[in-house]
Amino acid sequence: MLSFRKASTALGTAILAMAVLSHSSMAQSASHDFAAGGELAVGSQYDTTHVYVSPADLNAFVTSFTATFGGHTSKKIVSNVLPEASSTEFQYVWTPSGNLSVFAFDTPIPYPFGLERTGLLVTDLPEAVKAARASGAEIVVEPFKDPIGLDAVVQWDGGVKTQLYWHTTAPSYEALEYVPENRVYVSPDRAEQFARQYLAFTRGKLVAEEKSSDGAEIGRPGTTYRRIRIESKFGKLTILVTDGHLPYPFGRELTGYEVKDLDSTLAKAKKAGASVLWGPYDAGDRSESIVQFPGGYIAEVHALKK
């Protein structure tokens, strides 16, 4: 594997830029002018779940995930994408059900990277940081340059970390067929504050709240829990408010992926080397399951009822 010490900054920048643009149609570009529209979000297709795997598992994971959901990938590159010295293989994954940023580090990962759940593309990073602070979030990593833009990491109440990023050259990705859900487990002590902060930052809306959801949806039949669903231009968010008494694998899944047919998707997942850890389960408006892919990434997968 190429060491970051041997790779020139210029070469790393060029390769990573090519990876980002390999799926871009430049006929239209996302606006970077915050002042013109006052909108921080670009679109849900630009927001990725951050997946960390070992270099040995990278190919198997990407192959399994795309075999399950469809889509395709960028070329792998090796670069330093953090504010401190490090080296990672990096690959984008684009699918109709949601996109990923996949990292396979061959060096130790500087803290707090690896703990952030998602990366959200913003139209203006300084304004996004200002808005996050105004909402009550903490900036745990101040803005820094990466090979193709700027990044920062924020932390909401409940310890939920999110990376914000901005590209020097605006990408243009295809709209998603199904917008995925960011699934966040928080305690009753922080649920209100987290929801309030997230709504303020994303300018989203509360689309559903169920104070007595079936606990069997999170592996605890005979109990209830509170579930909050929020939508914004950044995508969907499901807040699962629990007492933390969660059987494995609940709470380990970062994202929920909608598909047309759950049974056929699970069959493809198993054929591609993934394991079904739970389900399928009929959960009110959907049937759902939890799947683990090669390399350890755990995801919820669901199909809405007709």
Side-chain angles (χ1 to χ4, degrees):
M1 181 179 293
L2 179 64
S3 168
F4 72 94
R5 294 183 178 88
K6 296 180 181 179
S8 70
T9 301
L11 179 59
T13 301
I15 294 174
L16 188 54
M18 287 174 63
V20 171
L21 295 175
S22 65
H23 186 59
S24 298
S25 167
M26 299 313 293
Q28 296 179 340
S29 64
S31 171
H32 281 51
D33 186 357
F34 177 83
E39 178 64 72
L40 289 174
V42 180
S44 58
Q45 69 267 42
Y46 301 98
D47 304 328
T48 63
T49 299
H50 284 197
V51 179
Y52 288 74
V53 297
S54 71
D57 290 326
L58 177 58
N59 288 339
F61 167 68
V62 168
T63 299
S64 179
F65 197 84
T66 52
T68 300
F69 294 105
H72 53 286
T73 71
S74 70
K75 294 181 179 179
K76 284 186 292 186
I77 61 93
V78 179
S79 184
N80 179 14
V81 298
L82 302 184
E84 296 296 324
S86 61
S87 178
T88 185
E89 289 185 68
F90 176 83
Q91 196 163 18
Y92 278 110
V93 177
W94 295 283
T95 83
S97 294
N99 301 330
L100 308 178
S101 294
V102 187
F103 304 88
F105 277 81
D106 64 350
T107 62
I109 306 171
Y111 180 85
F113 295 93
L115 301 178
E116 79 283 358
R117 306 169 55 87
T118 52
L120 305 181
L121 179 63
V122 296
T123 54
D124 185 297
L125 191 70
E127 290 291 343
V129 168
K130 184 188 301 184
R133 277 199 173 103
S135 76
E138 175 187 3
I139 311 304
V140 293
V141 179
E142 294 285 347
F144 65 93
K145 292 182 179 180
D146 70 16
I148 58 171
L150 297 171
D151 305 80
V153 179
V154 305
Q155 179 172 282
W156 318 99
D157 261 28
V160 180
K161 294 180 176 64
T162 301
Q163 188 156 336
L164 308 177
Y165 74 100
W166 173 85
H167 281 171
T168 304
T169 301
S172 181
Y173 302 156
E174 297 174 2
L176 298 172
E177 185 174 352
Y178 303 106
V179 177
E181 297 176 346
N182 188 359
R183 291 173 60 87
V184 178
Y185 288 74
V186 296
S187 73
D189 293 339
R190 292 291 180 266
E192 296 292 343
Q193 297 94 315
F194 170 67
R196 188 183 312 114
Q197 291 172 354
Y198 196 83
L199 282 166
F201 174 76
T202 62
R203 304 175 188 180
K205 62 181 179 179
L206 179 68
V207 295
E209 180 175 10
E210 176 56 63
K211 295 183 178 180
S212 298
S213 293
D214 181 5
E217 298 170 2
I218 54 173
R220 296 185 59 193
T223 68
T224 62
Y225 76 102
R226 181 182 176 193
R227 185 184 62 228
I228 303 168
R229 287 176 175 160
I230 291 172
E231 293 184 8
S232 73
K233 195 172 179 180
F234 283 114
K236 297 179 180 179
L237 173 77
T238 296
I239 304 173
L240 302 102
V241 185
T242 80
D243 59 9
H245 299 183
L246 297 167
Y248 182 85
F250 297 95
R252 297 293 181 183
E253 78 281 14
L254 299 181
T255 302
Y257 298 95
E258 183 181 345
V259 295
K260 183 178 181 180
D261 182 270
L262 182 60
D263 289 339
S264 64
T265 300
L266 294 180
K268 287 187 286 187
K270 288 186 282 189
K271 185 176 180 180
S275 301
V276 177
L277 301 181
W278 174 82
Y281 180 76
D282 187 347
D285 66 340
R286 64 181 63 186
S287 55
E288 61 183 347
S289 191
I290 296 183
V291 176
Q292 183 173 42
F293 292 91
Y297 178 61
I298 296 175
E300 189 260 14
V301 185
H302 62 270
L304 299 181
K305 293 180 180 178
K306 304 298 185 182

